[in-house]
Amino acid sequence: MRIRSLGVIDDAVVELSPGFTAVTGETGAGKTMVVTSLGLLLGGRADPALVRIGAKAAVVEGRIVMRPGAPAAVRAEEAGAELDDGALLISRTVSAEGRSRAHVGGRSVPVGLLGELADDLVAVHGQTDQQGLLRPARQRQALDRYAGDAVAVPLEKYGSAYRRLRSVAVELEEITTRARERAQEADLLRFGLDEIAAVEPVAGEDTELAAEAERLGHAESLSSAAQLAHGALAGNPEDPEAIDANMLVAGAHRALESVRSHDPALGALAERIGELGILLSDVAGELAGYADDLDADPLRLAAVEERRAALTQLTRKYGSEGTVDSVLEWAEQGAARLLELDGDDERITELTVERDGLRSELSLLAQALTDARMEAATRFASAVTEELASLAMPHARVTIDVRQAEDADGVEVGGRPVAYGPSGADEVELLLAPHPGAQPRPIAKGASGGELSRVMLAVEVVFAGSDPVPTYLFDEVDAGVGGKAAVEVGRRLAKLAKSAQVVVVTHLPQVAAFADRQLLVEKTNDGSVTRSGVTVLEGEARIRELSRMLAGHEDSVSARAHAEELLAAARADA
């Protein structure tokens, strides 16, 4: 991390070891700013009071190396970030006016994204930062990961049954709660289908009837016109002297026929006139037939209009396009929908049977989960209690309470309503009895600040290897600890660092001696400006700092000897 203008730190680079890094320094030197900086990178609250006096903004930049495909890397890439040779670059800026900006992988992102990444990157344990593992839901997740396949296998089966039960319950509720609406819809459909069936419309019938009504309404004028046209073409039987088109065409044909042998051109015209005469005869015949067949019956006209009125009533109600064809289409769709609605009772029965079966299956799977968790809880609690005995809490006893949660709206199992959730019906709670005779209480209520940090350390040590979080930050984990217990705290932090990255802010030389890297936060004052810097301690510098932590004086001969002894013992223990 690079820290600029944050609190007493003007500009410092903090290089954390892949294993165990201890951060030490005098009280008030600014060790808390290292923790605060990491908190800002992880989406913590931006306080403008943290900005160094005289600076416009505080800036924290971090380079986090992560394995390919890590959840945090995937989430960052989804947000548009790019990894730099397997590392994710994160920066957080807090202005003196209170504005805050975040960048991940070269992309400006909402600060909330940093919080999402933090869940997969760092577990923070301090006097006020224990909230993650203090939540029962997180405790259940921790226990499940510790249990491994013993819980994972039944949990997968349970999850599948739970999701199906939720789907069935939602569908069943939708059908039953809308029963009245669906019944009303079915009644309207039946009425409409009955009304259409009573009329029995035929596709295209409205168009045909419209044409027939037009013809019947003008029957007399149509008949008169047909007769006049027939007379003009074929003559009037009552007036043999009248000249008609057929007679004229026949005369023209005869005139040309008499001379067609003298000129082929006239012969061709004669043939065409002959064809014209045939066509006139055909048209005249059809006109005569039309006039004879034309029905001028007013009763038929009334029947047609009555039928058209019935069809019009249907098209107004059910014809989206105002045609009989659209009425028939509505009827087809309505019949299919009615069939679906009429099948609701049968579907309700099917869903009810399936729901009851899934509830029974879920109760068995939930009990299997509870049994597996209780077995793992016994082992886990015993291991944590054993760790606490070496952390200056020899009489403390940790237990894990695994119980099925009850809910008035839950599923009845064995005469009591059980609240099933996505991860089972269990509530898991870590309990601590700090001394003999004390009643086990939730760790948040049964432990002081220092005890709570040690409980968290013991949990993490037992949990090491099964927790996917790659980095742990412990602040004041050694509060209220000294002597041999302090050595044991350091030893266990070193043990945890074999499977994860561990960062510890400590006042104890016994803890710092076990670190792979020790960082000193040191304050300087030139008379007008106070600054703090971060230095990597090696060799003689580290012995001097351990001596200061032991005796309050880095030049003490006895403290120096003790510091060298501590380092040698820690290296031998490693």
Side-chain angles (χ1 to χ4, degrees), residues 184-207:
Q184 292 174 346
E185 183 183 356
D187 287 343
L188 290 174
L189 287 173
R190 288 192 187 93
F191 178 82
L193 291 172
D194 289 344
E195 194 171 14
I196 293 172
V199 177
E200 296 182 341
V202 177
E205 183 183 6
D206 50 342
T207 303

Side-chain angles (χ1 to χ4, degrees), residues 122-176:
V122 180
V124 179
H125 299 300
Q127 297 294 315
T128 59
D129 297 308
Q130 312 279 1
Q131 301 307 314
L133 200 53
L134 293 184
R135 295 198 298 268
R138 290 293 295 273
Q139 292 178 15
R140 186 192 64 238
Q141 294 170 7
L143 179 62
D144 287 354
R145 288 198 298 271
Y146 176 81
D149 288 344
V151 166
V153 173
L155 181 58
E156 183 177 358
K157 295 179 180 178
Y158 172 91
S160 177
Y162 176 81
R163 288 188 294 273
R164 178 55 189 163
L165 177 58
R166 292 293 301 166
S167 175
V168 169
V170 168
E171 184 178 355
L172 186 58
E173 182 179 3
E174 192 274 337
I175 292 177
T176 53

Side-chain angles (χ1 to χ4, degrees), residues 393 431-435 438-448 451-452 455:
M393 297 178 68
L431 306 178
L432 173 68
H435 52 79
Q439 288 296 320
R441 301 179 64 195
I443 55 175
K445 300 177 181 178
S448 64
E451 289 175 334
L452 186 56
V455 171

Side-chain angles (χ1 to χ4, degrees), residues 119-371:
D119 290 338
D120 296 313
L121 291 176
V122 180
V124 179
H125 299 300
Q127 297 294 315
T128 59
D129 297 308
Q130 312 279 1
Q131 301 307 314
L133 200 53
L134 293 184
R135 295 198 298 268
R138 290 293 295 273
Q139 292 178 15
R140 186 192 64 238
Q141 294 170 7
L143 179 62
D144 287 354
R145 288 198 298 271
Y146 176 81
D149 288 344
V151 166
V153 173
L155 181 58
E156 183 177 358
K157 295 179 180 178
Y158 172 91
S160 177
Y162 176 81
R163 288 188 294 273
R164 178 55 189 163
L165 177 58
R166 292 293 301 166
S167 175
V168 169
V170 168
E171 184 178 355
L172 186 58
E173 182 179 3
E174 192 274 337
I175 292 177
T176 53
T177 55
R178 291 188 56 205
R180 178 178 297 179
E181 296 176 16
R182 296 166 79 93
Q184 292 174 346
E185 183 183 356
D187 287 343
L188 290 174
L189 287 173
R190 288 192 187 93
F191 178 82
L193 291 172
D194 289 344
E195 194 171 14
I196 293 172
V199 177
E200 296 182 341
V202 177
E205 183 183 6
D206 50 342
T207 303
E208 295 176 1
L209 288 175
E212 185 178 0
E214 183 71 14
R215 187 170 61 253
L216 290 173
H218 300 82
E220 291 184 4
S221 58
L222 290 173
S223 177
S224 175
Q227 289 174 1
L228 288 174
H230 177 269
L233 294 179
N236 187 347
E238 298 179 357
D239 185 5
E241 300 297 327
I243 298 174
D244 56 65
N246 269 334
M247 291 176 62
L248 295 173
V249 170
H253 184 264
R254 285 194 300 270
L256 293 179
E257 276 292 321
S258 63
V259 296
R260 65 179 299 173
S261 60
H262 302 299
D263 188 346
L266 285 180
L269 292 174
E271 289 181 2
R272 292 171 63 186
I273 292 175
E275 293 172 358
L276 183 58
I278 295 172
L279 181 59
L280 288 174
S281 297
D282 290 342
V283 172
E286 291 182 14
L287 287 170
Y290 176 86
D292 292 340
D293 294 339
L294 188 61
D295 187 3
D297 185 359
L299 295 179
R300 173 57 188 167
L301 178 59
V304 169
E305 293 295 352
E306 183 179 354
R307 178 66 176 174
R308 290 185 68 198
L311 294 177
T312 299
Q313 188 176 9
L314 291 182
T315 57
R316 286 175 178 171
K317 287 185 177 181
Y318 312 107
S320 59
E321 299 177 3
T323 64
V324 168
D325 288 352
S326 58
V327 171
L328 294 173
E329 182 179 358
W330 182 93
E332 182 179 357
Q333 295 173 352
R337 175 61 175 162
L338 183 60
L339 187 63
E340 177 184 338
L341 294 172
D342 286 341
D344 276 356
D345 291 342
E346 182 179 347
R347 182 60 178 158
I348 288 174
T349 301
E350 292 176 355
L351 290 173
T352 302
V353 171
E354 184 178 5
R355 181 200 61 190
D356 294 343
L358 286 169
R359 283 179 172 177
S360 299
E361 180 184 359
L362 209 64
S363 66
L364 295 176
L365 292 172
Q367 188 59 51
L369 265 178
T370 300
D371 294 342

Side-chain angles (χ1 to χ4, degrees), residues 374-405:
M374 292 180 69
E375 190 278 331
T378 301
R379 291 188 288 110
F380 191 77
S382 177
V384 173
T385 299
E386 185 177 342
E387 287 292 330
L388 287 177
S390 301
L391 295 174
M393 297 178 68
H395 304 297
R397 181 169 55 89
V398 168
T399 57
I400 298 181
D401 183 23
V402 180
R403 60 187 180 276
Q404 289 190 333

